[in-house]
């Protein structure tokens, strides 16, 4: 509960607008071919290798610069994830997956992959907040309402905020996700 209070206080103070941390803005998501995965409502696994490309900009606090980037994510056959693991009461707003909306679906898949690596990928060392920015940004691109995306982001901080999620590879499929970050 203290995490929730801290987050609400931060929002109310509008301190987050002062660029007190690295941040990512997502501008576009491209998927060459439909994502092909199967699942049982609890776990989803890729049946074919698939690439997802995320374009956006990254602000880095250390140098105060904003640069465009391309994030290339490869999901190899067998990669497993639980999708958007929202609590039961929120699944009607933030379902695990949305049939026919691969952009929406790519968000939690990428987020889980980045979390498995603790944000350390080829070309970048992303903070946890930046990984969350990517999830929220992709959902916004997929058509999710800004308020819902913000609430989902808050839910991530409250429910997935424990250290057990950051670096977790309990499905032993970390090796089936590759990500490359390039400045443009």
């Amino acid at each position: 509960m203290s995490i929730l209070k801290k987050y609400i206080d931060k929002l109310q103070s509008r301190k987050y607008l002062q660029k007190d941390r690295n941040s990512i803005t997502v501008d576009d998501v491209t998927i060459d071919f439909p994502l092909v995965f199967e699942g049982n409502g609890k776990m989803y696994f890729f049946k074919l290798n698939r690439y997802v490309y995320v374009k956006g900009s990254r602000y880095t606090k250390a140098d105060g610069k904003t640069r465009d980037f391309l994030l290339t994510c490869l999901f190899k056959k067998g990669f497993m994830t639980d999708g958007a693991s929202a609590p039961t009461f929120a699944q009607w707003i933030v379902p695990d997956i949305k049939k026919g909306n691969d952009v929406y679906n790519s968000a939690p898949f990428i987020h889980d992959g980045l979390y498995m690596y603790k944000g350390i990928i080829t070309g970048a060392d992303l903070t946890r907040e930046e990984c969350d920015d990517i999830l929220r940004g992709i959902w916004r691109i997929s058509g999710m309402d800004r308020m819902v995306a913000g609430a989902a982001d808050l839910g991530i901080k409250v429910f997935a905020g424990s250290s057990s999620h950051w670096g977790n590879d309990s499905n032993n499929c970390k090796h089936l996700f590759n990500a490359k970050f390039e400045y443009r």
Side-chain angles (χ1 to χ4, degrees), residues 34-174:
L35 300 180
V36 181
F37 57 90
E38 286 188 359
N40 59 10
K42 293 181 182 178
M43 192 60 61
Y44 302 92
F45 67 95
F46 277 73
K47 294 177 69 177
L48 297 170
N49 293 353
R50 286 297 186 253
Y51 282 95
V52 177
Y53 306 93
V54 179
K55 292 179 184 175
S57 58
R58 181 184 191 203
Y59 168 80
T60 50
K61 182 181 174 184
D63 62 10
K65 293 185 180 180
T66 301
R67 298 183 231 19
D68 292 338
F69 72 84
L70 172 66
L71 173 63
T72 303
C73 299
L74 168 61
F75 298 97
K76 294 180 184 176
K77 180 180 177 180
F79 178 80
M80 293 181 2
T81 176
D82 59 357
S85 50
T88 305
F89 69 85
Q91 287 182 353
W92 65 277
I93 297 173
V94 184
D96 293 344
I97 62 162
K98 283 188 178 180
K99 285 192 180 231
N101 191 337
D102 281 346
V103 173
Y104 174 93
N105 296 335
S106 70
F109 297 162
I110 290 170
H111 190 253
D112 284 357
L114 293 174
Y115 261 48
M116 286 179 201
Y117 281 97
K118 292 187 175 184
I120 302 169
I121 58 174
T122 302
D125 186 353
L126 303 174
T127 65
R128 190 175 187 148
E129 290 83 5
E130 288 175 302
C131 296
D132 296 347
D133 289 346
I134 291 169
L135 172 73
R136 185 180 57 255
I138 295 172
W139 273 344
R140 290 287 297 128
I141 297 291
S142 78
M144 184 182 277
D145 178 84
R146 180 176 297 281
M147 185 171 277
V148 173
D153 188 49
L154 178 59
I156 290 164
K157 286 174 178 39
V158 172
F159 295 103
S162 72
S163 59
S164 65
H165 286 85
W166 187 241
N168 184 347
D169 184 22
S170 60
N171 296 327
N172 194 29
C173 64
K174 178 177 174 178

